[in-house]
Amino acid sequence: MKVLVPVKRVVDYNVKVRVKSDGTGVDIANVKMSMNPFDEIAVEEATRLKEKGAVTEVIAVSCGVTQCQETLRTAMAIGADRAILVDTTEELQPLAVAKLLKALVDKEQPQLVILGKQAIDDDCNQTGQMLAALLGWPQATFASKVEVADGKVTVSREVDGGSETLVLTLPAIITTDLRLNEPRYVTLPNIMKAKKKQMDTYKPEELGVDVTPRIKTLKVSEPPKRSAGVKVADVAALVDKLKNEAKVI
């Protein structure tokens, strides 16, 4: 069974994000970039399924600038067998990424697509669902446990009221939650091996996909700074502040 794992290059989660002075976006100049944490969990899960014998090949995919090759090399160091880069400098929105992934699914014919439930830069939480809609495949989002057997995949997921278990017929789409697993530490030997693994590159036009943005960002701004808290003498003073200053009651 073949598994496709999309991964995204984002600003590292340890970096404090800064907005550009002109408000056009986030400043990524000289900023550490890394793989989206949810996608890292997806690569780890696909690798574990391969180690269990349920999967024969894991293909990592990234859409974006040429530097995404570094992210794909990390995915291959974790355990992906080969990688595909869709090289473009265009701003990619979830629908465009879903269309690119659909084109690659049609080309590679995987039985399972595992991807992070959302990216930590835009927090859209849309790509997996859009891809499932475009392909007409069943989907299980926010997976906390995945088991593959007999042409079906069993997914445990958390919902507002507790947890539920879904059984999907392959092919299917799964998006990963933080509780699914803890990605392994990437060792130097595996990083060296990843440099020798196959990486194919395509342009969006080669896949027949128009990635022109459908949404225009007008302005990006930081949230207002929070003021320091104050101590109140009693409940009456608290109610007064909530009513007259915060105006929440």
Side-chain angles (χ1 to χ4, degrees):
M1 186 174 78
K2 191 184 292 187
V3 178
L4 200 72
V5 186
V7 296
K8 186 175 184 181
R9 179 177 181 263
V10 299
V11 175
D12 190 86
Y13 68 91
N14 287 313
V15 174
K16 179 174 171 52
V17 176
R18 298 188 305 273
V19 175
K20 292 180 181 177
S21 57
D22 58 3
T24 57
V26 173
D27 185 7
I28 59 171
N30 301 316
V31 170
K32 182 184 178 185
M33 308 291 283
S34 61
M35 187 189 301
N36 178 46
F38 291 102
D39 296 338
E40 196 172 357
I41 290 168
V43 177
E44 173 67 26
E45 190 62 25
T47 302
R48 291 187 185 188
L49 288 173
K50 183 186 171 187
E51 290 170 348
K52 290 177 184 176
V55 169
T56 54
E57 186 180 27
V58 178
I59 308 167
V61 178
S62 192
C63 306
V65 295
T66 307
Q67 290 89 330
C68 290
Q69 291 181 5
E70 301 168 14
T71 309
L72 289 170
R73 293 293 178 197
T74 301
M76 289 190 286
I78 293 173
D81 298 290
R82 58 188 175 94
I84 298 172
L85 171 64
V86 181
D87 192 356
T88 177
T89 55
E90 194 76 64
E91 178 198 349
L92 293 176
Q93 294 172 351
L95 180 58
V97 176
K99 287 180 177 178
L100 290 170
L101 293 177
K102 179 185 182 299
L104 290 173
V105 167
D106 292 339
K107 194 177 187 68
E108 294 289 341
Q109 295 294 309
Q111 286 72 53
L112 189 62
V113 178
I114 307 178
L115 65 162
K117 68 172 184 175
Q118 66 195 77
I120 61 172
D121 53 359
D122 55 22
D123 270 340
C124 282
N125 183 16
Q126 295 174 340
T127 305
Q129 293 89 327
M130 287 178 171
L131 178 59
L134 291 171
L135 290 168
W137 287 8
Q139 62 175 309
T141 56
F142 316 142
S144 57
K145 186 177 180 183
V146 175
E147 294 178 349
V148 178
D150 303 323
K152 296 183 183 297
V153 56
T154 304
V155 179
S156 300
R157 61 190 296 270
E158 292 190 7
V159 293
D160 291 339
S163 62
E164 68 176 6
T165 301
L166 302 176
V167 179
L168 310 178
T169 302
L170 296 174
I173 309 286
I174 296 174
T175 70
T176 61
D177 199 359
L178 286 172
R179 294 168 185 80
L180 181 57
N181 62 52
E182 184 175 340
R184 68 194 66 188
Y185 177 77
V186 181
T187 61
L188 183 59
N190 286 336
I191 292 173
M192 300 306 292
K193 289 177 186 176
K195 292 181 179 180
K196 298 179 181 179
K197 291 184 178 180
Q198 177 184 345
M199 184 184 298
D200 300 317
T201 303
Y202 297 98
K203 293 286 185 182
E205 48 269 25
E206 292 179 82
L207 299 172
V209 178
D210 177 17
V211 295
T212 305
R214 264 56 175 184
I215 301 170
K216 182 180 179 182
T217 302
L218 300 179
K219 185 181 179 183
V220 177
S221 59
E222 291 188 19
K225 288 185 170 56
R226 296 179 61 180
S227 56
V230 295
K231 289 185 178 180
V232 292
D234 50 34
V235 174
L238 173 62
V239 172
D240 179 66
K241 284 186 175 293
L242 291 174
K243 185 176 181 179
N244 298 314
E245 291 185 22
K247 298 189 185 300
V248 293
I249 58 174

